[in-house]
Amino acid sequence: MKNFHKALILFIWYVFSSPFQVSVVSVVSTADFNKDFFVIWSPSHVNTSVDGHTRSLKLDQESGAGFASNQMFLFGKIDMQIKLVPGDSAGTVLAYYLASDQPNRDEIDFEFLGNVSGQPYILQTNIFVDGTDNREERIYLWFDPTEHFHTYSVLWNMYQIVLMVDMIPIRVYRNHWDKGVAFPRRQPMSLKATLWNGDSWATRGGQDKIDWTKGPFIASFRNYEIDACVWNGNPRFCRAASPTNWWNKYRFSTLTSTQRRWFRWVRKYHMIYDYCQDNERFQNNLPRECSLPKY
């Protein structure tokens, strides 16, 4: 019995003192918006169900609205089910993103650009590193995102950032740091969602303005999952590969063969803008990552 107690004590000591201890800094979300998020903008325009499982944001002439996670993260996987603003949503922007909140911030963006009724929704994605962006891509969604909830996901690890719609990869941004390409790997980020007036640029370059008579404009959220490394001031915990930090395992270092087929399908049939093909914008000097493999 003494040997058993001694072994148990040694095991507990190892778990709580190991340099690879990451369980205390990783989280699987509670699925309760009231527990995992706080309102950052216009509480009167944020509505949360009694059980905390669903939340909506409202945009009207008075204000937009937004919320953010209580915790900050460095690497992980995040899923959120969203139902976008229905009907004539021209000029509205729903942003769902990770951001570091630093002057030279890192950011991983989903931006849903409202449209005139009957037109396909545009999803714009962007990556900021050390305060620099100019990495926009745009696709037409292949379904009506206002009829039902769909899942929008971010996988972020030391190897790559993968943005997904219903688990279909729509964008990959690889870590080519060793080749001189900036990659978000140092700054922790919080998860945010905001609904706001972007009619100066969002729909047909700002030609279609918000029709306030069609408001209020409402977007809804539910069934989120945050499985990520909670920032505690020491990045080594979040960079370690372990059963808890599963996203850092080598098998998540690139797309699977099935994911690659879906990725190519999205880019062939649904992409409408890729900064890596905009020679005019960059005066025939495209960013370095454009000439490097995506997976």
Side-chain angles (χ1 to χ4, degrees), residues 135 173 175-183 288-289 292:
R135 300 182 180 92
Y173 185 80
N175 185 353
H176 289 298
W177 187 269
D178 59 336
K179 298 178 179 65
V181 177
F183 186 85
R288 183 167 177 75
E289 65 267 21
L292 297 171

Side-chain angles (χ1 to χ4, degrees), residues 218-268:
I218 296 174
S220 302
F221 306 79
R222 73 177 188 189
N223 293 349
Y224 66 89
E225 292 186 12
I226 302 173
D227 196 352
C229 189
V230 178
W231 178 251
N232 71 351
N234 190 340
R236 71 190 178 101
F237 290 126
C238 296
R239 291 173 181 165
S242 72
T244 306
N245 287 0
W246 57 265
W247 49 84
N248 283 335
K249 293 184 176 181
Y250 184 74
R251 67 191 182 98
F252 298 104
S253 65
T254 190
L255 300 183
T256 66
S257 57
T258 300
Q259 287 178 321
R260 293 179 187 187
R261 287 195 296 270
W262 280 115
F263 180 63
R264 290 192 293 266
W265 174 79
V266 170
R267 297 183 73 81
K268 181 176 181 179

Side-chain angles (χ1 to χ4, degrees), residues 82-276:
I82 305 174
K83 184 160 65 171
L84 300 184
V85 175
D88 186 344
S89 57
T92 68
V93 177
L94 176 67
Y96 159 61
Y97 60 107
L98 288 159
S100 66
D101 297 327
Q102 300 297 323
N104 293 325
R105 71 187 187 279
D106 292 344
E107 196 169 301
I108 303 170
D109 295 344
F110 285 92
E111 291 181 309
F112 303 92
L113 310 184
N115 58 26
V116 178
S117 297
Q119 300 299 312
Y121 243 95
I122 291 175
L123 169 55
Q124 174 171 286
T125 60
N126 201 355
I127 307 288
F128 286 69
V129 190
D130 294 330
T132 302
D133 60 338
N134 294 327
R135 300 182 180 92
E136 299 92 345
E137 292 185 2
R138 290 185 178 189
I139 65 168
Y140 280 134
L141 292 172
W142 52 91
F143 52 84
D144 184 345
T146 71
E147 290 186 344
H148 305 286
F149 284 89
H150 291 266
T151 303
Y152 303 91
S153 307
V154 178
L155 172 66
W156 171 34
N157 58 31
M158 286 293 294
Y159 307 104
Q160 60 180 349
I161 296 167
V162 184
L163 304 184
M164 293 170 277
V165 176
D166 292 333
M167 298 302 116
I168 294 175
I170 64 162
R171 179 165 190 175
V172 181
Y173 185 80
R174 287 203 62 75
N175 185 353
H176 289 298
W177 187 269
D178 59 336
K179 298 178 179 65
V181 177
F183 186 85
R185 62 194 182 109
R186 295 176 177 172
Q187 299 187 70
M189 295 193 263
S190 60
L191 179 63
K192 298 183 179 182
T194 55
L195 178 61
W196 44 283
N197 177 357
D199 70 4
S200 64
W201 65 276
T203 309
R204 292 204 308 137
Q207 296 182 56
D208 296 323
K209 304 298 184 181
I210 291 181
D211 183 351
W212 294 110
T213 67
K214 302 293 175 54
F217 305 97
I218 296 174
S220 302
F221 306 79
R222 73 177 188 189
N223 293 349
Y224 66 89
E225 292 186 12
I226 302 173
D227 196 352
C229 189
V230 178
W231 178 251
N232 71 351
N234 190 340
R236 71 190 178 101
F237 290 126
C238 296
R239 291 173 181 165
S242 72
T244 306
N245 287 0
W246 57 265
W247 49 84
N248 283 335
K249 293 184 176 181
Y250 184 74
R251 67 191 182 98
F252 298 104
S253 65
T254 190
L255 300 183
T256 66
S257 57
T258 300
Q259 287 178 321
R260 293 179 187 187
R261 287 195 296 270
W262 280 115
F263 180 63
R264 290 192 293 266
W265 174 79
V266 170
R267 297 183 73 81
K268 181 176 181 179
Y269 294 106
H270 300 283
M271 174 164 278
I272 56 175
Y273 178 79
D274 178 0
Y275 75 107
C276 280

